[in-house]
Amino acid sequence: MGCSKVPAAHFHTTLHFAGACMNLTLAIAALCNWRLAETALVHISSALPATATPLETELHHQQLAGILAKDHTGAVVLYAPLELALEHAMAQGMEPSQAIALWQHNATLLVRFCKQHRGKAALFNLADVTASPELFKALCAQLWPQVTPNSALIPAGHHQPALLYRLLAGYWLSATPSLLSLSQQLAALAQPLQPALAPQPAAEELNRLAADYQAGQKARQQLAEVEEKLESVTKERDQALASISAITKERDAALQSVAETAALRQENSLLLEQLFTVQEELEKHLLAQQPVAITTAVKPEPTHAEQPEHAVHHTGRHTSSLRRHFKKRAEKKRLQQKAAELAASSLFNGDWYLAQYPDVAADKQFATNPALHYLKCGGFEGRNPSPQFNSRDYLDANPDVAAAGFNPLYHYLRFGQAENRPLY
C-alpha cells in the first residue's frame, strides 16, 4: 500500500515492557507518530524496551499474533486518527491520497486484529493517550495488574493537528463512507479515555473559520464575476480577431491589385515609349528618303505599278530590316531599364556580384553593369545577386516563374513580393 516509499522508522516502532511476570508489547500502527505520547508510554514500566513490532502489513499482524499466543503476554496497540495520520504523513513528504490509502488498509487490518485478540490486545487512540496520560496509565494497570507503572505524575499534552489536516480528514471521511465506517469501528474498539477537560475549539478559531468561510464565499462570487467578464472579453477578442483577419485579407487583395495595376501601367508606359521612338525614327527615315528638288527638268518617276519588281522587293527587305533594328533597340532599352531597377534594389549588390563571379568582372561589357549580366544570364545560371537572395531557391520554390522565363529577382521585385511568394 505504498509504505515502502517512506522509511518505516518514521511511522512506527514497537517497545516491550517487562513486568514482574508479564511481557507487554507496545505495537504502533502505520502513520502513528507515537513520540507524541512517549512521556506516557515510558511511565507504564521502568524497564527498557526489548523488541519492536510494527503493525503495517499482514505479516506484522501475524508476528504479533504469534507473540500474544504465549502466556503472560499482552499488547498496547496505538493508532492515529485520520487527521494525525495525515499530519505525520505529509510532514514526511507523502501525498495525501497515498496516506489515505495506507491508513485505510492498515485500519482494516487493525479492526480485524483487535476483534480476534480481545482481552490480550488493547487498542488506544494516540490523541486520547496524549491528552489523558494518567488515565492511560491507570487503565493499563487495571488491564494488566502484573505491570507496575511509574508513580510519577504525567503532564497532559495538548497537541492538536493544524486546521488543514482536520479539514482534509473531515472531507475524506464525509466523502468516503467506507473510510468513515473504519474510523467509527476503531473508535468503538479503542479503550475509553475521556480527558478531564475535553479540548474545545477556541472562540478565536471559530471566528477565524467563520471569517474564512465568508471570505471564501466573497472570493467565489468575485471569481464568478471575473469569469463572466473574461468570457465576454474573450468573445469580443474573437470578434476583433475575425474582423482583423477579414481586413487583412482585403488589404492583401488590394495590395496585390495595386501591384498588378502598377505593373500594367509601367508596361503600358514602356510600350508607348517604344511606340513613340519607332514613330520618330520612321519619320526621320521617311524624310531622308524624300527626293531633292532640282531646277532642271527630270524624267517623271514611274508609278508604283511601273516600278520594276526588284525595286518592290528591295523596299520590303528594307522595311523588315528597319523593324528589326527598332525592335532590337527597344529591347536593349528595356533591358537597361530593368537592370537599373535591379541595381537600385537592396537585394542586388554589384560589388559583391563582381567579387563572387570573376568571369563577369573580366567581361568589359558587364564589368560596368553587373546588374545587366545578372538580368540576362546570371539569374538563369543559378548565380545570386547578393547573399540575401538565392536565385535557384526562388525558381525551385516557384516553378511557374521558371517556366515563364522570368529572371528570379526581377520577378520577385515586380510581382513575387506583393504576392507573398516563398523565397525558398
Side-chain angles (χ1 to χ4, degrees):
M1 296 298 294
C3 61
S4 60
K5 294 183 179 180
V6 182
H10 292 293
F11 293 108
H12 59 78
T13 187
T14 305
L15 305 176
H16 274 207
F17 299 94
C21 298
M22 183 75 181
N23 287 329
L24 183 61
T25 301
L26 174 63
I28 308 301
L31 304 179
C32 181
N33 185 11
W34 67 275
R35 295 193 179 277
L36 294 177
E38 186 175 11
T39 303
L41 296 175
V42 297
H43 280 74
I44 295 177
S45 174
S46 58
L48 294 175
T51 60
T53 302
L55 284 181
E56 291 185 358
T57 66
E58 183 72 32
L59 178 60
H60 294 156
H61 285 75
Q62 292 176 2
Q63 292 174 347
L64 182 57
I67 295 174
L68 296 180
K70 300 176 182 179
D71 295 333
H72 307 294
T73 57
V76 173
V77 180
L78 200 61
Y79 83 96
L82 187 56
E83 60 271 18
L84 284 177
L86 285 172
E87 179 184 49
H88 187 56
M90 294 178 68
Q92 303 300 322
M94 184 180 288
E95 292 292 332
S97 58
Q98 182 184 6
I100 291 291
L102 177 59
W103 188 91
Q104 185 174 12
H105 173 71
N106 189 250
T108 302
L109 296 178
L110 278 178
V111 168
R112 185 181 63 187
F113 181 85
C114 291
K115 288 180 178 179
Q116 292 175 349
H117 298 85
R118 293 179 185 273
K120 282 217 166 187
L123 183 65
F124 291 91
N125 185 319
L126 174 63
D128 292 345
V129 173
T130 304
S132 304
E134 284 294 322
L135 291 178
F136 168 70
K137 184 174 65 172
L139 186 55
C140 287
Q142 180 181 348
L143 293 173
W144 300 287
Q146 300 91 335
V147 176
T148 304
N150 195 313
S151 60
L153 182 65
I154 310 173
H158 300 287
H159 179 78
Q160 187 177 26
L163 178 63
L164 170 64
Y165 306 115
R166 285 180 283 158
L167 291 177
L168 282 175
Y171 167 77
W172 282 100
L173 290 172
S174 61
T176 313
S178 60
L179 204 64
L180 178 61
S181 175
L182 283 173
S183 178
Q184 292 173 344
Q185 291 182 62
L186 287 174
L189 290 170
Q191 299 297 321
L193 294 179
Q194 296 297 331
L197 293 175
Q200 299 293 330
E204 181 180 351
E205 183 177 358
L206 291 177
N207 292 334
R208 181 166 58 84
L209 288 174
D212 291 343
Y213 175 78
Q214 293 176 357
Q217 291 293 100
K218 184 177 180 181
R220 183 179 300 177
Q221 182 179 359
Q222 292 175 346
L223 179 60
E225 295 174 356
V226 170
E227 289 178 347
E228 184 177 354
K229 291 181 180 179
L230 181 60
E231 183 178 358
S232 175
V233 171
T234 302
K235 290 182 179 179
E236 294 177 358
R237 183 205 63 184
D238 293 341
Q239 294 175 356
L241 289 176
S243 300
I244 292 174
S245 178
I247 293 173
T248 301
K249 291 181 180 179
E250 294 177 359
R251 182 205 63 186
D252 293 342
L255 289 175
Q256 183 176 357
S257 177
V258 168
E260 293 174 353
T261 303
L264 289 175
R265 286 179 179 176
Q266 190 165 359
E267 291 291 338
N268 291 338
S269 176
L270 183 60
L271 290 175
L272 288 174
E273 184 180 352
Q274 293 175 358
L275 181 61
F276 292 150
T277 302
V278 171
Q279 183 178 358
E280 181 181 355
E281 294 293 335
L282 185 59
E283 290 176 356
K284 289 181 181 179
H285 179 74
L286 291 176
L287 289 175
Q289 297 297 321
Q290 292 293 332
V292 181
I294 56 174
T295 56
T296 59
V298 296
K299 183 179 179 179
E301 295 184 0
T303 63
H304 179 72
E306 296 172 343
Q307 288 182 355
E309 183 178 357
H310 71 86
V312 175
H313 291 170
H314 176 74
T315 303
R317 288 195 302 271
H318 185 75
T319 303
S320 177
S321 176
L322 183 63
R323 287 177 179 174
R324 287 195 301 271
H325 171 73
F326 288 147
K327 184 177 180 181
K328 185 176 181 180
R329 183 176 177 181
E331 177 68 18
K332 182 178 180 180
K333 188 173 183 180
R334 185 170 64 86
L335 287 175
Q336 292 289 348
Q337 291 177 344
K338 288 184 176 181
E341 290 182 31
L342 292 180
S345 169
S346 61
L347 294 177
F348 187 87
N349 188 328
D351 295 337
W352 182 88
Y353 192 85
L354 293 176
Q356 191 74 12
Y357 307 108
D359 59 317
V360 180
D363 192 315
K364 295 181 179 180
Q365 179 185 358
F366 298 119
T368 57
N369 192 354
L372 182 62
H373 178 275
Y374 175 78
L375 179 67
K376 295 178 65 176
C377 310
F380 306 101
E381 295 172 351
R383 305 192 192 216
N384 299 326
S386 69
Q388 287 75 37
F389 187 89
N390 190 293
S391 303
R392 193 175 302 279
D393 287 350
Y394 186 77
L395 292 177
D396 291 342
N398 303 278
D400 57 324
V401 177
F406 273 96
N407 177 277
L409 180 57
Y410 185 80
H411 181 274
Y412 177 75
L413 295 175
R414 294 296 300 275
F415 309 106
Q417 192 171 14
E419 296 171 359
N420 292 324
R421 294 263 189 163
L423 292 175
Y424 51 87

